[in-house]
Amino acid sequence: MVSIEPSILAADPLRLGEQAKAAEDAGADALHIDIMDGRFVPNLTFGAHIVRALRQHVSLPFHVHLMIVEPEHHLEDFIAAGAKILTVHQEVSPHLHRTLGKIRQLGARAGVALNPSTPINTLEEVLDLTDYVLIMTVNPGFGGQAFIRSQVDKVRRLRALLEVHDRQMVIGVDGGIDQETARLCVQAGATALAVGTSVYDGKGTVEANIAALRAAVRRRS
Ligand code: DX5
Ligand code: ZN
């Protein structure tokens, strides 16, 4: 089954708790929380205190996606605040092996995100330490961007790489996911979808939007 992770970045900032709860009530599998630092990516978003505040409000697992330089300095804070999956970017992690080991040691599942320009073979040496690979289907930094179609083939190649190495892990995609692009990604091998705008865009209820995504990925072909 495909996991759906609504991205709270696209929610109404004055109603974060309520909108996280709406995702939980609608049967979302996790809440995706985007942390941006204004350095690795141009935008600034939330700190660990927001993750902690949300943690008091819902019991959904939290996937915290760190789009920050030197993420290794913030692992403890975000895991203590409630991250169950903690994802760092390969591009800002020269000591990725150590960082992933540390995330697991702190009791969370270890994720690696790859920008659209980052090749998947950079993961080969850390597959045994990785629980989750997040393929960015936009250049990170903003919600509401257009899906980059070349990344579908990257998902397919990642799936094949994992098969060659006999490794199982979550393959997530993040950015520009709607009913159509969700289906393409799932057909290529994605097992998790981070979705901001298509869940919280106000066009339908959170519940209806999540149900529509689920229906779209069930119609696989
Ligand atoms: C982008 C973030 C995404 C973002 C997705 O840098 O990592 O998680 O919230 O938003 P949409 O679904 O609007 O592209
Ligand atoms: Zn994200």
Side-chain angles (χ1 to χ4, degrees), residues 7 9 32-36 65 67 134 136 174-175 194:
S7 172
L9 181 66
H32 187 95
I33 308 177
D34 289 309
I35 311 297
M36 304 186 187
H65 174 194
M67 283 162 275
L134 187 64
M136 295 308 300
D174 186 9

Side-chain angles (χ1 to χ4, degrees), residues 148-166:
I148 301 174
R149 285 184 182 262
S150 59
Q151 300 306 293
V152 175
D153 189 54
K154 191 172 178 177
V155 170
R156 199 170 288 121
R157 284 181 284 114
L158 174 60
R159 168 64 61 209
L161 179 80
L162 296 181
E163 268 162 29
V164 167
H165 289 270
D166 196 23

Side-chain angles (χ1 to χ4, degrees), residues 88-112:
V88 298
H89 268 261
Q90 186 276 346
E91 301 82 8
V92 282
S93 302
H95 304 294
L96 187 58
H97 187 280
R98 181 191 292 150
T99 300
L100 295 171
K102 184 88 188 291
I103 292 172
R104 281 185 172 178
Q105 198 189 325
L106 291 166
R109 296 174 72 207
V112 184

Side-chain angles (χ1 to χ4, degrees), residues 22-23 25-27 199-200 204-214:
D25 292 346
V199 166
Y200 286 117
T205 62
V206 168
E207 190 180 8
N209 292 341
I210 290 176
L213 281 163
R214 284 209 193 282

